[in-house]
Amino acid sequence: MLFIADLCAFYGEFQALFGVNITVKQGEVTSIVGPNGAGKSTLLRAVSGLVRTEGRIEFEGQNLRKIPAHRIVDLGLAHVPEGRGLFPYLTVRENLELGSHVPRARPFRAKNMEWVYHLFPRLLERERQLAHTLSGGEQQMVAIGRGLMSRPKLLILDEPSIGLAPKMVSVLFNVIEEIRREGVTVLLVEQNVHRALMASESAYVIENGAMVLSGSGSELLQSPQLQEAFLGLAQDEMR
Ligand SMILES: Nc1ncnc2c1ncn2[C@@H]1O[C@H](COP(=O)(O)OP(=O)(O)O)[C@@H](O)[C@H]1O
Ligand SMILES: [Mg+2]
């Protein structure tokens, strides 16, 4: 579904990615893990057309590098950025509605809203509440829900579990599994390495802008090289 080859990315003169290769298969959860500053968010921004790139990025056979960022969502990609990016003084419902403006999703707004409220019943209880009054976990639900309102083929999540209480992290990973079962392909960036690999068919480890390891989630979970790649991380960050 998504094919990335020899991808380099730049912020001005600074090069953040060095020849990254990644394949995301339809219907799967693919995760990207790696230490802080490795280039994970940059990789997602490259897919969404938000940084300068070289190399190949193809979505369902189309060259994404030729498509302007604001049109990429029309193709069926939804990117839930790090830090959530909600409108703090709009309600939960209004934030969700903003996700359904793309032409492919507009006719299904009511149905998608129902789906989001089914996945996150708590958001239905709070639909008239302003986004900034929600807990961190609830805000993350709104951010994911807004992504789903565009009825994406590929949902891209950047560190969705960051800052969440352990119980909310479990809720989140259950929802990711449910989203996948509904046929949405998921590309997940996580610092919760253990949970991410458990939830993924395929996974990639990047470090200093380059890919150092790839395999199935279960392969990587067993891999001594993975432990090595995360030597700098505390053991509880792996769990
Ligand atoms: N807007 C930016 N301008 C310049 N450099 C950036 C910018 N965003 C990220 N970087 C740099 O690019 C590298 C990769 O960052 P990032 O993709 O955010 O890492 P990660 O998401 O893996 O923590 C880091 O060295 C970071 O400092
Ligand atoms: Mg990041």
Side-chain angles (χ1 to χ4, degrees):
M1 176 175 252
L2 181 68
F3 175 72
I4 295 174
D6 306 318
L7 180 68
C8 298
F10 306 86
Y11 295 104
E13 297 288 285
F14 179 77
Q15 185 167 357
L17 292 178
F18 300 83
V20 170
N21 301 306
I22 282 178
T23 304
V24 175
K25 295 199 191 110
Q26 176 153 18
E28 292 193 352
V29 176
T30 300
S31 67
I32 296 167
V33 298
N36 251 334
K40 305 181 297 299
S41 297
T42 301
L43 176 68
L44 302 187
R45 282 183 212 124
V47 173
S48 293
L50 303 173
V51 293
R52 187 166 70 81
T53 53
E54 284 170 11
R56 288 169 68 188
I57 309 175
E58 286 165 18
F59 178 67
E60 297 188 315
Q62 291 189 74
N63 180 359
L64 281 191
R65 293 189 55 235
K66 293 228 159 92
I67 298 171
H70 67 274
R71 294 263 347 271
I72 286 179
V73 66
D74 294 342
L75 299 178
L77 271 92
H79 182 172
V80 180
E82 208 174 358
R84 298 163 195 149
L86 299 181
F87 290 89
Y89 293 99
L90 294 183
T91 64
V92 167
R93 174 175 273 273
E94 287 162 345
N95 270 283
L96 291 176
E97 281 171 347
L98 286 173
S100 64
H101 283 301
V102 296
R104 57 193 302 279
R106 225 172 284 150
F108 309 104
R109 176 185 283 187
K111 197 158 168 264
N112 288 338
M113 186 80 77
E114 210 173 288
W115 180 36
V116 169
Y117 285 148
H118 163 76
L119 290 171
F120 302 111
R122 200 193 293 241
L123 296 187
L124 180 58
E125 289 164 29
R126 291 175 172 37
E127 66 171 348
R128 288 176 204 293
Q129 211 168 307
L130 298 183
H132 78 97
T133 65
L134 301 176
S135 73
E138 291 162 351
Q139 290 188 24
Q140 189 57 261
M141 292 175 190
V142 179
I144 295 172
R146 188 177 56 185
L148 292 173
M149 289 295 290
S150 71
R151 207 181 173 78
K153 297 176 188 168
L154 175 64
L155 179 69
I156 298 177
L157 302 173
D158 196 350
E159 307 230 9
S161 80
I162 205 159
L164 301 191
K167 206 170 147 196
M168 282 304 304
V169 174
S170 296
V171 170
L172 172 76
F173 276 95
N174 287 338
V175 166
I176 290 173
E177 172 54 28
E178 196 168 342
I179 290 169
R180 187 190 66 77
R181 273 205 306 270
E182 295 262 342
V184 179
T185 306
V186 178
L187 176 58
L188 174 67
V189 159
E190 260 297 335
Q191 28 90 49
N192 197 324
V193 178
H194 190 77
R195 295 301 291 258
L197 294 182
M198 297 268 290
S200 301
E201 278 86 1
S202 311
Y204 297 84
V205 181
I206 66 172
E207 248 184 354
N208 298 319
M211 233 182 61
V212 294
L213 211 56
S214 66
S216 73
S218 49
E219 270 163 17
L220 289 193
L221 274 171
Q222 320 258 332
S223 150
Q225 281 166 287
L226 182 90
Q227 310 288 335
E228 220 165 281
F230 286 89
L231 214 55
L233 285 182
Q235 200 59 28
D236 56 319
E237 274 184 82
M238 295 273 302
R239 313 232 152 247

